Amino acid sequence: MPLSVATDPLATAASAAPDAALSLRAVHRAAAELRRGTPVLLRGGEHPLVIAAAETVGAAGLAELAALARGPGVLLLAPSRAADVAPVPVLRPVQGVEEAAVALRLPPSLLDPAMLRSLADPTADRLPEGNRTERVPAPALAGAALALAKLGRLLPAVIAAPARDGLGRGDLLTVETADVLAYPAEAATTLRRVAEAAVPLEGAPDARIIAFRAADGGIEHLAILVGRPEDVVARGDAPLVRLHSECFTGDLLGSLRCDCGPQLRGAIHRMGKAGAGVLVYLAQEGRGIGLVNKLRAYRLQDGGLDTLDANRALGYGADERNFMVAATILRQLGIERVRLLTNNPEKLESLAACGILVEGREAHAFAPNGVNDGYLETKARRFGHLLA
């Protein structure tokens, strides 16, 4: 039976805050356009930009961008990627804040789809020698342009040009800078239940899965309820909770490169043994960079980088996850206090910052397997995970 207007989360969000719902959908559509290689118009302030993702844009997209621009484009890169592409003296950050983006003027020989992919992707073929790039001031909307690419799980590398005068919504899909920057928090807070079913699991036969969807209609997050955690809450106790970011390679394929699969199955078994618990399964692969970029990071790790440095080489931060998603799901389940099953102190701090009371940490470490030893050592040394 189709959801009624009263229970449809998209209808509920739209009727409660139509402008917010429309803004979320506009950002979601703009990120999808970038994934297709299509330019979009990014507005905010006096100088809107026509942008396209360097990773996906083709010859037709570059031609369309040029026709809609009133000046030459520049390549916007995350500073960590720009340092490899065009080494320049490092500018001292203002009060310790790293610049949002670096802008490079490219010679005509590099304004080519294959060359742009090489500039964006450190795992792609190396650029031929003699192609000089020139660092220029970044446009005001540069940070938002890279943020939009990240929302599309693309490499943060964007061709951007000043928009032609008079260019508007009728000419090109348009998105507002403020909406792009607000999107992670706004999408998280609009999550609503859309489906629920009993799914008996190995180690936890009394389990249910609830799916949650945001008002933009994007990818769903899940909550796996073992036993009756609501009864634990009703008694005034804090249920056992784990926040688990999806890992296709570890969770599904049993990859030995990480400890995600053992952590997932171990958490479910532990909750089954305890009689109740909630595993929040977040659609934030690779600490929020997506599966394709995680595979690229693996390639860089095979070349000698650790997990953190590989993410930075791609232009991403060490951890791009949004734990407001988990906090919203827990509140939807009526859970305001938790005992968190984790080795990651940042999860404790992030969940607490989102208003969930963390009453304690339950250790959740697994022995190295001979393949993931370096990965676990990096977790402890550089991410501060408590694995001892």
Side-chain angles (χ1 to χ4, degrees), residues 21-233:
L22 291 174
S23 297
L24 284 172
R25 294 170 190 171
V27 175
H28 190 265
R29 288 181 60 202
E33 289 294 276
L34 292 187
R35 288 178 64 87
R36 297 186 186 99
T38 304
V40 301
L41 179 65
L42 180 62
R43 299 200 317 180
E46 299 178 359
H47 304 290
L49 293 176
V50 182
I51 64 173
E55 176 183 349
T56 58
V57 70
L62 288 174
E64 183 179 3
L65 186 146
L68 296 171
R70 60 176 174 81
V74 296
L75 176 65
L76 303 178
L77 294 174
S80 55
R81 176 58 182 155
D84 292 332
V85 168
V88 294
V90 177
L91 300 180
R92 186 178 299 279
V94 178
Q95 296 181 342
V97 178
E98 187 180 65
E99 58 194 327
V102 170
L104 301 176
R105 180 179 293 126
L106 304 179
S109 60
L110 294 183
L111 285 173
D112 168 86
M115 293 297 184
L116 290 174
R117 284 192 289 274
S118 293
L119 287 164
D121 185 357
T123 69
D125 294 335
R126 293 181 63 85
L127 291 167
E129 298 293 333
N131 289 287
R132 305 290 295 176
T133 60
E134 177 188 359
R135 181 165 176 167
V136 295
L141 307 185
L146 295 190
L148 183 60
K150 285 183 176 183
L151 291 175
R153 298 295 186 263
L154 298 169
L155 292 166
V158 169
I159 289 290
R164 195 181 63 212
D165 292 340
L167 195 64
R169 295 181 184 275
D171 303 291
L172 196 62
L173 182 64
T174 302
V175 65
E176 299 292 334
T177 294
D179 294 339
V180 172
L181 298 179
Y183 177 89
E186 292 287 344
T189 56
T190 65
L191 284 166
R192 298 293 183 271
R193 299 181 187 218
V194 291
E196 177 177 354
V199 183
L201 302 174
E202 182 180 349
D206 184 14
R208 293 165 284 160
I209 297 180
I210 303 176
F212 293 81
R213 185 184 295 148
D216 64 351
I219 192 167
E220 291 83 10
H221 304 271
L222 306 174
I224 302 172
L225 277 64
V226 175
R228 292 188 59 80
E230 56 267 44
D231 291 346
V232 177
V233 174

Side-chain angles (χ1 to χ4, degrees), residues 127-325:
L127 291 167
E129 298 293 333
N131 289 287
R132 305 290 295 176
T133 60
E134 177 188 359
R135 181 165 176 167
V136 295
L141 307 185
L146 295 190
L148 183 60
K150 285 183 176 183
L151 291 175
R153 298 295 186 263
L154 298 169
L155 292 166
V158 169
I159 289 290
R164 195 181 63 212
D165 292 340
L167 195 64
R169 295 181 184 275
D171 303 291
L172 196 62
L173 182 64
T174 302
V175 65
E176 299 292 334
T177 294
D179 294 339
V180 172
L181 298 179
Y183 177 89
E186 292 287 344
T189 56
T190 65
L191 284 166
R192 298 293 183 271
R193 299 181 187 218
V194 291
E196 177 177 354
V199 183
L201 302 174
E202 182 180 349
D206 184 14
R208 293 165 284 160
I209 297 180
I210 303 176
F212 293 81
R213 185 184 295 148
D216 64 351
I219 192 167
E220 291 83 10
H221 304 271
L222 306 174
I224 302 172
L225 277 64
V226 175
R228 292 188 59 80
E230 56 267 44
D231 291 346
V232 177
V233 174
R235 291 197 306 266
D237 297 329
L240 187 62
V241 169
R242 164 132 183 102
L243 312 184
H244 187 92
S245 299
E246 70 178 353
C247 176
F248 171 81
T249 50
D251 296 344
L252 183 61
L253 302 182
S255 169
L256 299 177
R257 294 189 71 131
C258 63
D259 60 344
C260 300
Q263 285 192 322
L264 172 64
R265 287 177 281 278
I268 291 171
H269 277 267
R270 186 163 174 178
M271 291 173 185
K273 187 175 180 179
V278 177
L279 189 143
V280 180
Y281 196 80
L282 302 169
Q284 299 183 8
E285 178 91 37
R287 292 194 179 92
I289 69 175
L291 177 58
V292 170
N293 288 320
K294 186 176 81 171
L295 295 177
R296 288 172 170 141
Y298 279 171
R299 176 85 174 270
L300 295 173
Q301 290 169 39
D302 290 340
L305 298 184
D306 66 20
T307 308
L308 190 153
D309 288 335
N311 280 18
R312 286 185 56 80
L314 293 171
Y316 276 89
D319 194 332
E320 298 273 351
R321 287 176 291 185
N322 174 14
F323 290 111
M324 180 62 78
V325 173

